[in-house]
């Protein structure tokens, strides 16, 4: 990344500052498909990939990977994204790309006298014409950038968002404290080999960090406009943040799923939502879209919902999908348990936990016992308060509602028609009494003889149901 989002000029940060960020790990970023997708879906980043510069794209990627968890910084960015009423900087992508190419050239310019510059010009004119072209065009384009930034700063008013006012004030301060201000005033003068060499020296050596910081301002403004433009195009809502720990999402849906069914979600502090229901019904999608909306809100974006009331989250953890690690000799279940261990050790009461099918990679009794113990730990430890979405096919876990504080049961609505099922994709209060695994196997094309035999075996196993025993376990707590 040539120009990171944050640069320090005159002892203070131009963009962003040292602020708290919502922390995510690689596993979470992959599970949610933020920049790269594990499941072949479109990424969240691709949804916003409409920037007018590559630097704006890098800035936006940085926002998505490191959302904000600082109230003041988030409010300022939200305000700028909601009301992007500020002068547009008229620099095209090709010009910005050329500027980056020019600034990345390896040779280090030196300060030269008029006579030295003349001899240097003559030498380069005959020996290195392409190099001279890069310097002349690069300095000229950078002069245009400086002039555009000055025009931007001059037209920002007191009615502009605070972040925009701060950026404008910083630009003015830089121009007043350095020779860049005089250079802007002299824009339009006739070019000369000496003036070009002097600009090259200032841009690529003396003020190279300042120039990089000013370019990063251009990129951030591009990212702000892009997020606003995406939200307006898709008709999303502007989220509100609360000082308490209450979450309320009305008619929210996955931003990347076509014809997604809208759902609601309301959660108080300490709530653990246990989701049961059929395979393929949409439990994992529902949980991932919840995490995505929280993350989108904390970059300052609008979100795909009718309304959204969200409390600040410090970390998002996910345990979704199954995979092994053959290189290190770890089985699928070992990988799963390592991920669970990481979550339980590092999550806080302000974290969001997405846990999908904990304990499925071992025997039924071991898996159920581990899943049960994990829910108890989250409900009763220092994690009490962590917002947790827990999908499972262990229906016995629904016995924990009413026995552990903050545990609530939800399921995915399914309509049965004989041996077939229709997925309604709606989240409703209560628990499912079965997972419809055999019906899903039939939908997948498993031979009919296998399906019929599975039904016979399932009927026999139901006679030794373990649900009754779990009722007694719940009474101990």
């Amino acid at each position: 990344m040539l120009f990171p989002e944050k640069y320090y000029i005159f002892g203070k940060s131009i963009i962003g500052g040292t602020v708290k960020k919502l922390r995510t790990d690689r596993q979470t970023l992959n599970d949610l498909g933020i920049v790269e997708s594990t499941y072949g879906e479109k990424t969240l980043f691709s949804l916003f990939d409409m920037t007018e510069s590559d630097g704006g794209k890098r800035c936006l990627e940085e926002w998505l990977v490191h959302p904000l968890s600082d109230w003041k910084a988030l409010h300022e960015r939200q305000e700028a994204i909601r009301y992007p009423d500020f002068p547009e900087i008229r620099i095209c992508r090709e010009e910005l790309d050329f500027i980056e190419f020019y600034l990345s050239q390896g040779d280090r310019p030196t300060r030269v006298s008029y006579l030295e510059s003349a001899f240097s010009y003559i030498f380069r004119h005959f020996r290195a014409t392409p190099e001279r072209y890069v310097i002349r065009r690069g300095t000229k384009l950078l002069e245009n950038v400086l002039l555009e930034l000055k025009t931007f700063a001059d037209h920002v008013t007191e009615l502009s968002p605070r972040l925009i006012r701060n950026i404008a004030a910083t630009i003015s301060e830089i121009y007043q404290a350095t020779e860049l201000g005089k250079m802007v005033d002299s824009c339009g003068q006739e070019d000369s080999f000496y003036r070009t060499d002097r600009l090259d020296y200032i841009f690529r050596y003396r003020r190279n960090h300042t120039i990089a910081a000013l370019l990063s301002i251009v990129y951030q403004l591009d990212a702000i406009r892009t997020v606003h433009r995406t939200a307006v195009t898709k008709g999303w809502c502007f989220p509100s943040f609360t000082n308490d720990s209450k979450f309320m999402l009305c008619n929210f849906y996955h931003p990347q799923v076509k014809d997604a069914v809208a759902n609601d979600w309301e959660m108080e502090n300490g709530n653990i939502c246990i989701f049961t229901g059929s395979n393929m019904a949409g439990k994992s999608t529902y949980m991932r879209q919840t995490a995505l909306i929280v993350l989108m809100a904390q970059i300052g974006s609008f979100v795909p919902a009718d309304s959204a009331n969200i409390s600040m989250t410090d970390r998002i953890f996910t345990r979704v999908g199954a995979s092994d690690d053959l290189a290190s000799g770890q089985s699928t279940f070992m990988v799963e348990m390592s991920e669970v261990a990481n979550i339980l050790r590092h999550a806080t009461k302000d974290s969001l936990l997405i846990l999908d099918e904990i304990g499925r990679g071992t025997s039924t009794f071991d898996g159920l016992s581990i899943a049960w113990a994990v829910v108890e730990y989250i409900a009763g430890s220092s994690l009490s308060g962590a917002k947790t979405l827990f999908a499972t096919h262990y229906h016995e876990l629904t016995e924990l509602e009413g026995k552990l504080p903050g545990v609530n049961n939800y399921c995915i609505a399914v309509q049965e028609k004989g041996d077939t099922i229709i997925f309604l994709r709606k989240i409703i209060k209560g628990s499912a009494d079965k997972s419809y695994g055999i019906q899903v196997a039939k939908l997948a094309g498993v031979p009919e003889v296998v399906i019929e035999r599975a039904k016979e075996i399932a009927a026999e196993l139901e006679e030794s149901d373990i649900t009754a025993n779990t009722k007694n376990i719940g009474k101990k707590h």
Side-chain angles (χ1 to χ4, degrees):
M1 186 171 177
L2 182 57
F3 301 114
E5 182 185 4
K6 184 174 63 179
Y7 278 90
Y8 288 92
I9 307 295
F10 310 128
K12 73 176 185 178
S13 173
I14 281 187
I15 298 178
T18 304
V19 298
K20 292 189 295 182
K21 302 290 183 72
L22 185 155
R23 298 175 63 189
T24 54
D25 53 25
R26 180 178 295 180
Q27 181 66 40
T28 298
L29 294 175
N30 288 340
D31 285 343
L32 297 180
I34 304 302
V35 179
E36 298 179 355
S37 175
T38 304
Y39 306 100
E41 305 165 344
K42 289 184 178 180
T43 64
L44 183 63
F45 177 61
S46 69
L47 195 67
F48 293 98
D49 191 10
M50 297 186 293
T51 57
E52 296 177 355
S53 67
D54 288 337
K57 183 183 295 188
R58 292 194 298 269
C59 179
L60 196 49
E61 182 178 344
E62 172 71 14
W63 288 2
L64 289 169
V65 174
H66 301 290
L68 297 171
S69 62
D70 181 279
W71 281 103
K72 182 175 181 293
L74 179 56
H75 176 71
E76 289 183 358
R77 189 188 288 173
Q78 271 191 317
E79 186 185 27
I81 290 173
R82 190 175 188 180
Y83 304 110
D85 186 19
F86 50 82
E88 191 168 352
I89 297 187
R90 297 168 299 178
I91 305 292
C92 72
R93 180 188 294 267
E94 185 274 332
E95 291 172 339
L96 288 169
D97 288 345
F98 192 91
I99 288 172
E100 289 196 13
F101 171 72
Y102 156 67
L103 292 173
S104 66
Q105 295 306 291
D107 60 318
R108 179 176 176 177
T110 57
R111 189 169 188 173
V112 296
S113 66
Y114 184 89
L115 187 60
E116 290 171 327
S117 182
F119 280 116
S120 175
Y121 168 75
I122 294 171
F123 176 78
R124 283 182 293 199
H125 179 74
F126 290 105
R127 297 292 299 276
T129 301
E131 175 193 356
R132 190 63 184 173
Y133 167 78
V134 170
I135 293 173
R136 288 184 63 187
R137 186 167 188 242
T139 53
K140 188 65 178 177
L141 289 176
L142 264 176
E143 278 192 291
N144 291 341
V145 170
L146 295 178
L147 184 59
E148 285 289 326
L149 286 173
K150 183 178 187 302
T151 302
F152 164 85
D154 290 344
H155 286 81
V156 170
T157 69
E158 287 300 316
L159 298 178
S160 300
R162 178 184 294 274
L163 177 60
I164 303 304
R165 298 200 308 270
N166 290 344
I167 290 176
T170 302
I171 294 170
S172 299
E173 181 182 349
I174 290 174
Y175 285 1
Q176 291 171 10
T178 68
E179 67 273 44
L180 297 180
K182 293 181 179 179
M183 291 171 54
V184 171
D185 294 335
S186 66
C187 282
Q189 290 185 2
E190 185 178 351
D191 289 336
S192 66
F193 50 81
Y194 172 67
R195 186 170 186 275
T196 298
D197 281 344
R198 182 171 178 272
L199 292 177
D200 185 42
Y201 167 73
I202 292 172
F203 291 157
R204 286 202 292 150
Y205 176 59
R206 184 174 181 180
R207 298 294 180 189
N208 63 322
H209 291 296
T210 307
I211 294 298
L214 291 173
L215 284 172
S216 68
I217 286 177
V218 176
Y219 299 150
Q220 187 185 30
L221 295 175
D222 183 12
I224 288 171
R225 288 190 187 279
T226 298
V227 174
H228 175 84
R229 189 164 54 247
T230 302
V232 169
T233 301
K234 296 183 177 295
W236 293 345
C237 82
F238 190 75
S240 299
F241 281 89
T242 62
N243 291 322
D244 56 28
S245 56
K246 189 174 182 178
F247 268 60
M248 184 179 295
L249 301 174
C250 180
N251 282 333
F252 76 109
Y253 53 92
H254 196 293
Q256 292 289 58
V257 175
K258 186 177 181 181
D259 299 324
V261 176
N263 275 288
D264 298 332
W265 180 41
E266 184 174 356
M267 178 179 279
E268 298 283 356
N269 185 24
N271 270 18
I272 301 173
C273 299
I274 295 181
F275 293 95
T276 52
S278 170
N279 295 284
M280 294 178 59
K283 298 189 297 296
S284 297
T285 299
Y286 179 86
M287 295 195 300
R288 285 203 295 267
Q289 74 190 36
T290 303
L292 284 174
I293 283 183
V294 171
L295 187 145
M296 290 169 66
Q298 290 192 213
I299 72 167
S301 172
F302 292 60
V303 297
D306 286 352
S307 65
N309 237 325
I310 299 172
S311 63
M312 191 71 74
T313 299
D314 64 352
R315 294 193 68 164
I316 297 176
F317 292 94
T318 61
R319 197 352 283 169
V320 178
S323 63
D324 53 23
D325 188 350
L326 298 178
S328 60
Q330 293 188 333
S331 66
T332 300
F333 183 67
M334 185 63 180
V335 170
E336 176 189 329
M337 289 298 100
S338 297
E339 292 172 0
V340 171
N342 175 65
I343 293 171
L344 298 183
R345 286 181 182 144
H346 296 103
T348 73
K349 63 181 181 61
D350 296 316
S351 300
L352 173 62
L353 314 184
I354 306 297
L355 303 175
D356 191 11
E357 305 296 347
I358 298 299
R360 65 180 170 183
T362 185
S363 70
T364 300
F365 289 104
D366 284 355
L368 173 59
S369 301
I370 292 170
W372 189 297
V374 167
V375 175
E376 284 187 353
Y377 182 83
I378 295 172
S381 68
S382 59
L383 294 186
S384 179
K387 294 157 283 291
T388 306
L389 280 68
F390 195 110
T392 184
H393 286 292
Y394 295 132
H395 298 142
E396 295 77 17
L397 292 181
T398 60
E399 294 295 324
L400 293 174
E401 183 182 58
K403 297 182 174 64
L404 289 179
V407 175
N408 288 282
N409 293 330
Y410 294 87
C411 63
I412 313 293
V414 172
Q415 182 177 348
E416 292 186 72
K417 287 188 175 181
D419 285 341
T420 63
I421 53 176
I422 300 173
F423 304 116
L424 302 180
R425 314 294 185 191
K426 293 293 289 186
I427 301 294
I428 58 176
K429 193 74 177 67
S431 59
D433 57 356
K434 51 186 175 181
S435 292
Y436 301 98
I438 296 176
Q439 287 88 337
V440 172
K442 183 177 180 179
L443 287 175
V446 173
E448 188 64 29
V449 63
V450 176
I451 297 298
E452 292 302 319
R453 179 55 181 154
K455 290 178 181 179
E456 295 173 2
I457 296 173
E460 294 179 15
L461 292 176
E462 285 177 359
E463 297 178 3
S464 57
D465 190 8
I466 62 174
T467 302
N469 293 330
T470 60
K471 293 178 186 276
N472 298 325
I473 298 174
K475 292 177 181 178
K476 298 178 182 179
H477 300 277

